[in-house]
Amino acid sequence: MKKIFVCGESYIGYTVHVKGADSMTTTGYFENVGWLKHALEEAGYEVTYMPSHEALAHFPDTVEKLRQYDLVILSDVGANTLMMTQQSFRNSLPAPDRCKAIRSYVEEGGSFIMIGGFMSFTGIEGKARYGVTPIADILPVRLLSYDDRVETSEGSVPKVLVPDHPIFRGMPEDWSYFIGYNKTLADETRGTVLATIQGDPLIAVGEFGKGRSAVFTSDCAPHWAPRSFLDSPAYLTLWKNMADWATRSV
């Protein structure tokens, strides 16, 4: 059974409630990885999931550690989480460059997918920052240098450009709408755009060294992905096909 490592899709919320002259706070921990994890497991993969806060200390920091997985997926977890290790940030001691390790992992034959979100690609207020990391070298699209979120409250429907690609096998002709995505730039020297949303890349793929990389610039969970899509057979099919292509299972 092939193995997939998924990191991200979690957050801790801190809310201030103002009730007239009084206020109170509540906190909570939330994960949105359930839909993606279920889809990959239904496709026959073994999934190891690491929430964002655990990645600070425990994200695999060498190519050797990453090689135990056939595919690495980052979804809505910013580059700072990978670059600011506890060893380097807390103790000012050298630590392996985990973004560089991912790049080397792909170039040496590994597989990588980045999924969109507020902390993916360049991200909200430019905070995801992947464009200034070695991971940018293995993405099949170019990243913006500023906040790349596109919010489409009326909904935007993707357009498939290469319908005979294995990623679209078994997918319906009529796609779900999405409420937003990360804007990236097509670059034929990096990869091939397979589907667009509002004319921007939605799905793009590329080969880097001996490995493969793909991007899905919208979300695998709310709010950009609607429940009607998350709970549909098309969702299961899409992520099976994405993982199968990336791991050369098709």
Side-chain angles (χ1 to χ4, degrees), residues 9-201:
E9 288 300 331
S10 70
Y11 66 97
I12 296 170
Y14 179 83
T15 305
V16 178
H17 305 259
V18 179
K19 300 184 176 184
D22 299 300
S23 65
M24 58 174 283
T25 61
T26 58
T27 59
Y29 171 70
F30 307 92
E31 290 181 359
N32 284 332
V33 74
W35 292 281
L36 177 64
K37 186 172 183 290
H38 171 70
L40 296 172
E41 290 174 341
E42 283 290 300
Y45 291 92
E46 179 182 327
V47 179
T48 297
Y49 171 59
M50 180 174 288
S52 300
H53 64 280
E54 290 186 10
L56 287 165
H58 302 299
F59 191 94
D61 57 6
T62 65
V63 175
E64 290 71 28
K65 292 177 183 178
L66 290 168
R67 279 197 191 121
Q68 65 181 300
Y69 304 106
D70 298 284
L71 170 61
V72 173
I73 298 177
L74 296 182
S75 184
D76 210 0
V77 55
N80 281 331
T81 299
L82 302 186
M83 295 188 294
M84 297 172 66
T85 67
Q86 288 192 344
Q87 182 177 346
S88 59
F89 184 62
R90 297 292 183 187
N91 302 317
S92 300
L93 295 173
D97 186 329
R98 300 188 290 199
C99 291
K100 188 178 294 184
I102 292 174
R103 181 181 65 186
S104 297
Y105 158 79
V106 172
E107 291 174 340
E108 295 177 18
S111 305
F112 178 73
I113 295 176
M114 182 173 286
I115 301 173
F118 274 25
M119 282 294 168
S120 297
F121 301 101
T122 303
I124 186 170
E125 299 174 357
K127 290 179 177 178
R129 310 184 62 233
Y130 281 104
V132 297
T133 74
I135 288 178
D137 298 335
I138 55 164
L139 292 178
V141 292
R142 288 189 292 116
L143 307 189
L144 302 183
S145 60
Y146 48 86
D147 190 321
D148 62 356
R149 295 167 304 126
V150 178
E151 297 287 344
T152 60
S153 60
E154 74 278 16
S156 298
V157 178
K159 178 181 179 181
V160 175
L161 304 182
V162 189
D164 59 346
H165 194 277
I167 284 178
F168 303 121
R169 185 174 299 156
M171 289 293 292
E173 290 187 10
D174 297 326
W175 275 58
S176 168
Y177 67 88
F178 292 88
I179 297 297
Y181 61 96
N182 297 89
K183 181 180 176 66
T184 62
L185 303 174
D187 186 339
E188 293 181 356
T189 67
R190 292 174 173 266
T192 302
V193 176
L194 304 180
T196 60
I197 184 166
Q198 293 201 145
D200 298 320

